[in-house]
Amino acid sequence: MALDSKIPQGEMDKKWEDYKAHVKLVNPANKRKLEVIVIGTGLAGASAAASLGEMGYKVKTFCFQDSPRRAHSIAAQGGINAAKNYQNDGDSVFRLFYDTVKGGDYRSREANVHRLAEVSAAIIDQCVAQGVPFAREYGGLLSNRSFGGVQVQRTFYAAGQTGQQLLLGAYSALERQVALGNITQYSRHEMLDIVMIDGKARGIIARNLITGELERHFGHAVLLCSGGYGNVFYLSTNAMGSNVTAAWKAHKHGAYFGNPCFTQIHPTCIPVSGDHQSKLTLMSESLRNDGRIWVPKVKDDNRKAKDIPEAERDYYLERRYPAFGNLVPRDVASRAAKERCDAGYGVGTTKMAVYLDFASAIKRYGKIEAGKPGNEQADEAGIIALGKEVVKEKYGNLFEMYEKITGENPYETPMRIYPAVHYTMGGLWVDYELQTSVNGLYALGEANFSDHGANRLGASALMQGLADGYFVIPYTLGNYLADDIRTETIPTTHPAFEASEKAVSDRINKLMSIGGTQSVESFHKRLGKIMWGKCGMARNAQGLQEAIQEIQELRKEFWSDLKIPGEINELNPELDKAGRVADFLELGELMCIDALHRNESCGGHFREESQTEEGEAKRDDSNFSFVSAWEYKGDSNWELHKEALEFEIVKPTQRSYK
């Protein structure tokens, strides 16, 4: 099948307006006859479901948590981008578009990114109307701060819990539609298969995680809003339950997987403390607004941070990238931290960490506060006390979280940070309408590949999830469903539902019957070590070839020696986890195949064989300016399809943040 991205004709800034003006519509009476299934209730899923319910469609939403409020979107900390130009510092729709394409290292589709930039401002208005408590300036206007990879302030935020506040806004819109009867919400349900009828997605098989029963649900269309697959690495900033299962089931039914090797490593995470750990904690990128990143100038310096004088500190991001300093994009900051630690300049007990220091920001803010009432004679202790209050107002909950986890007070001593797996730019391949290569099957938010190329700029995940749900899918889904208004509800006794349910049941029985000796967790941890070691922050051909072999062997061992306690027809979290890890064991192999095939460095994909003299990522535009869209052909067998990337406006150049 040829990849048709369905990008509208015409000038870039007119494409979306023109698309909306000519799109097919469904009249209100017909919307009431059409059923839509939404998998996942994070920002993308909740906003899509709320919007479609408001429009009159019959919507069913599914989440494996006990409440939509527990979606992993809640964990986002630092903010959401929008081209409002409130700071009057030169921002615009074009600049947001340009920064995002450049930040993604010229591996994203221009038309999708431009649309994202266009609708960004409306997202903020929508959220304010829902009561999201964004931070405000003294005069009442919404406040903005900077994020990496840009030279303007366009990030709107609610302290260090922006994701939580935005999710509560989308959740309240979702619950309003539940109360009105337009949405039926299924919590503690996990989608385990897509049901295909006549070449179209027409429903799902879901497992009730409380009782273990399998259920059949029909939908005229299915929307996957199930998030990213970073947990393939075992240790990541993702919630423990985050998984690839929904997207992987779609992949096995013909949905192409786009750019699976594009993984984002976030530069500011609390470092790993030992083998006992099952999760890593993010420290928001917003901290890089005021925190300065440094390591000692002397190798293996064991002095405490406060005992190292200013002249003996290497503020390496400010030194290497003077134009952007501590606000370089995530992939650049992560590699720079790894380079310093690998060279022997790391700090802390493991020596795999760098400092994030707020001392100078506290003094700067303290002087401003002291100066407000004209107190020019304030002593240093007074200035520091005032400065701490300002920092507390901006980042207080993040500082509390850090202290709870590490036992150290970041107001007094610098935080220690190190890069960790965070977000996945890869995902199901979708066209301009967010439809996968399967008719009637859509992917929104982090579940698709579309907007971030090889590296996502900070504060763009929340923007994409809400853009897709509130402002894109209401138009594009109608274009598909307009041709479906004569399709009656298909009874779930249809043979396709029977066959799908049997396949799911057989797989569950197979997992339970292995009767081996090793836990699901132990296999997941071993997979994570292979992935992080050989397909993590740096990759090379030999390591990737070894990883593919090791994952294949690990998968054989999994299917022959897995032990799952409990029964099928009961609450059984180990069984749920086993299904997810089985999918990760297949995805991990594809990620390594994709990384091996992409013989260039770009964004978060760093092939050691392809770097500049200064150690930066070196792209190969003549051979790799395309989206890798992989079609599943059977065990360990995929066929590559390429979507060529055309750049009309942002011409690819070597990225420079100097």
Side-chain angles (χ1 to χ4, degrees), residues 144-284:
N144 287 128
R145 55 189 177 201
S146 295
F147 259 61
V150 304
Q151 290 178 303
V152 296
Q153 290 181 282
R154 66 161 68 103
T155 304
F156 295 77
Y157 62 97
Q161 46 178 274
T162 315
Q164 180 176 356
Q165 297 303 332
L166 290 171
L167 186 63
L168 289 172
Y171 170 73
S172 61
L174 172 77
E175 288 303 306
R176 177 171 181 269
Q177 295 306 315
V178 171
L180 291 171
N182 298 328
I183 295 178
T184 309
Q185 161 64 23
Y186 294 87
S187 297
R188 289 284 189 205
H189 279 68
E190 183 166 26
M191 184 205 105
L192 292 182
D193 206 9
I194 298 275
V195 178
M196 301 290 296
I197 299 175
D198 298 331
K200 293 183 176 181
R202 289 299 194 194
I204 64 161
I205 304 297
R207 184 165 180 269
N208 179 327
L209 299 181
I210 304 290
T211 65
E213 287 173 76
L214 297 179
E215 299 176 7
R216 307 171 187 181
H217 295 275
F218 165 78
H220 288 87
V222 177
L223 275 52
L224 298 182
C225 311
S226 49
Y229 50 88
N231 271 356
V232 68
F233 289 89
Y234 186 70
L235 281 180
S236 80
T237 66
N238 287 203
M240 295 291 291
S242 298
N243 63 79
V244 76
T245 290
W248 200 248
K249 302 310 183 199
H251 177 53
K252 287 195 156 179
H253 279 295
Y256 297 173
F257 215 102
N259 298 336
C261 78
F262 286 170
T263 310
Q264 175 152 83
I265 314 290
H266 197 296
T268 46
C269 296
I270 298 178
V272 177
S273 59
D275 263 356
H276 60 283
Q277 235 173 313
S278 55
K279 162 122 181 53
L280 295 175
T281 303
L282 177 70
M283 287 285 103
S284 168

Side-chain angles (χ1 to χ4, degrees), residues 341-458:
C341 292
D342 289 351
Y345 296 93
V347 300
T349 49
T350 63
K351 297 295 180 193
M352 294 306 277
V354 299
Y355 287 127
L356 177 61
D357 194 339
F358 277 81
S360 60
I362 287 170
K363 279 188 185 168
R364 186 175 78 250
Y365 285 128
K367 281 179 183 165
I368 293 168
E369 290 302 302
K372 282 179 182 175
N375 183 7
E376 305 297 335
Q377 307 306 315
D379 63 351
E380 184 156 312
I383 285 171
I384 287 172
L386 289 168
K388 282 179 182 172
E389 285 306 308
V390 176
V391 169
K392 186 176 182 181
E393 193 177 322
K394 283 187 155 192
Y395 311 109
N397 65 314
L398 299 170
F399 277 51
E400 277 173 36
M401 197 159 67
Y402 183 87
E403 187 167 5
K404 272 185 183 163
I405 290 169
T406 65
E408 294 176 2
N409 179 351
Y411 294 102
E412 306 293 339
T413 183
M415 290 182 181
R416 286 196 308 274
I417 55 165
Y418 193 72
V421 172
H422 179 54
Y423 184 93
T424 48
M425 285 75 64
L428 293 178
W429 181 89
V430 292
D431 60 24
Y432 188 74
E433 299 187 307
L434 305 184
Q435 188 168 220
T436 66
S437 46
V438 171
N439 280 335
L441 182 65
Y442 292 76
L444 283 65
E446 193 180 354
N448 76 32
F449 88 98
S450 70
D451 292 15
H452 308 296
N455 172 61
R456 176 175 69 75
L457 291 182

Side-chain angles (χ1 to χ4, degrees), residues 420-552:
V421 172
H422 179 54
Y423 184 93
T424 48
M425 285 75 64
L428 293 178
W429 181 89
V430 292
D431 60 24
Y432 188 74
E433 299 187 307
L434 305 184
Q435 188 168 220
T436 66
S437 46
V438 171
N439 280 335
L441 182 65
Y442 292 76
L444 283 65
E446 193 180 354
N448 76 32
F449 88 98
S450 70
D451 292 15
H452 308 296
N455 172 61
R456 176 175 69 75
L457 291 182
S460 288
L462 305 183
M463 174 174 66
Q464 187 209 344
L466 292 178
D468 287 356
Y470 283 137
F471 298 110
V472 179
I473 204 70
Y475 289 94
T476 64
L477 184 65
N479 195 41
Y480 171 77
L481 291 176
D483 295 333
D484 237 7
I485 55 174
R486 289 190 176 82
T487 305
E488 297 290 325
T489 297
I490 298 171
T492 55
T493 51
H494 187 285
F497 279 95
E498 303 262 351
S500 278
E501 184 180 322
K502 183 178 185 310
V504 170
S505 179
D506 288 351
R507 186 173 191 254
I508 289 171
N509 284 314
K510 188 179 174 189
L511 281 166
M512 287 300 289
S513 67
I514 297 169
T517 62
Q518 299 182 60
S519 69
V520 178
E521 195 80 353
S522 67
F523 282 108
H524 193 182
K525 199 177 263 197
R526 284 164 65 191
L527 173 65
K529 284 204 163 140
I530 297 168
M531 294 299 296
W532 179 246
K534 294 177 179 177
C535 193
M537 284 178 77
R539 302 144 185 207
N540 60 56
Q542 184 189 339
L544 290 164
Q545 284 160 346
E546 289 169 3
I548 291 166
Q549 287 292 118
E550 287 169 26
I551 292 167
Q552 288 174 353

Side-chain angles (χ1 to χ4, degrees), residues 5-8 12-17 19-20 93 96-97 101 109-123 430-435 443 448 450-451 463-464 467-468 471-473 475-476:
S5 55
K6 294 187 194 165
I7 297 171
M12 188 62 70
D13 57 356
K14 303 282 193 303
K15 286 183 193 293
W16 180 233
E17 281 304 313
Y19 175 91
K20 289 192 291 182
V93 165
L96 174 52
F97 158 66
V101 174
R109 189 191 288 150
E110 272 193 337
N112 285 63
V113 179
H114 199 280
R115 175 175 65 189
L116 177 66
E118 285 175 63
V119 304
S120 66
I123 297 170
V430 292
D431 60 24
Y432 188 74
E433 299 187 307
L434 305 184
Q435 188 168 220
N448 76 32
S450 70
D451 292 15
M463 174 174 66
Q464 187 209 344
D468 287 356
F471 298 110
V472 179
I473 204 70
Y475 289 94
T476 64

